[in-house]
Amino acid sequence: MPSLTISAGLGTLEISHTFQSGCIKSVAGENQGELSDEDDDLCPVECVREFKTDEEFLNILEKAKETNSLVVVDFYRTSCGSCKYIEQGFSKLCKGAGDEDAAVIFLKHNVLDEYDEESEVAERLRIRAVPLFHFYKNGVLLEAFPTRDKERIVAAIMKYSSPTQNV
């Protein structure tokens, strides 16, 4: 069962979200969106799962329904500087993502396929800008926004994964 602790001080916001197999932690100082190296040790393995096909994506969304998990998707391009920047922060939020029963599942998808053409997922979802983040619960898209601000992503995760959230 997830537990949620939010404590705020002057100039700092610390959010800790604990799952069976991991946690989300973010520290934001006065420079909002600036990535901190102090939480490098939190994600020793690559736990943001990458999917390539629409079928694979739909299967993940279907499995997430069974556990009432929030699915967060980072849509990116390998040639995008902002995508590379936010990927570092996004991967630090992912500790529980390797477990399919986790309260939050972190995914990423390259909007260009191996032939540098728009992927079938990007085409179906009409993705035109990256980095773009989607938040799904029970197979429904709750929110989508382009950003390179880690704190905005954390705020959306907290909003949609709180125990009082009825979606």
Side-chain angles (χ1 to χ4, degrees), residues 11-159:
T12 355
L13 170 67
E14 184 173 317
I15 299 172
S16 178
H17 195 137
T18 306
F19 307 114
Q20 284 180 323
S21 65
C23 67
I24 295 174
K25 180 181 177 188
S26 173
V27 178
E30 293 175 13
N31 299 325
Q32 184 175 359
E34 182 178 315
L35 297 175
S36 167
D37 289 333
E38 62 188 64
D39 54 353
D40 279 342
D41 297 335
L42 293 180
C43 243
V45 295
E46 180 60 43
C47 48
V48 177
R49 293 170 29 203
E50 182 152 17
F51 66 92
K52 300 212 181 274
T53 66
D54 206 27
E55 180 181 1
E56 188 180 358
F57 181 46
L58 294 173
N59 285 337
I60 293 168
L61 289 178
E62 198 59 40
K63 282 186 179 183
K65 279 186 196 178
E66 296 169 12
T67 58
N68 199 30
S69 297
L70 174 67
V71 177
V72 183
V73 186
D74 172 11
F75 292 98
Y76 74 96
R77 270 191 347 255
T78 54
S79 61
C80 166
S82 290
C83 298
K84 290 175 186 171
Y85 173 85
I86 193 60
E87 180 182 28
Q88 297 170 32
F90 187 64
S91 67
K92 291 176 185 177
L93 298 175
C94 70
K95 184 66 177 167
D99 180 358
E100 288 187 13
D101 296 330
V104 180
I105 298 171
F106 293 86
L107 302 173
K108 64 181 179 179
H109 179 73
N110 189 347
V111 297
L112 298 178
D113 64 18
E114 62 270 15
Y115 307 107
D116 282 339
E117 295 178 9
E118 187 177 37
S119 74
E120 62 181 349
V121 176
E123 188 175 323
R124 179 177 65 82
L125 297 176
R126 298 175 188 208
I127 294 172
R128 301 291 175 248
V130 290
L132 179 70
F133 291 85
H134 279 194
F135 299 83
Y136 293 87
K137 189 100 175 217
N138 296 318
V140 176
L141 176 63
L142 303 174
E143 187 171 357
F145 53 80
T147 190
R148 54 177 274 155
D149 181 358
K150 184 173 134 182
E151 296 311 315
R152 185 169 179 196
I153 298 164
V154 169
I157 289 170
M158 300 310 289
K159 176 180 173 182

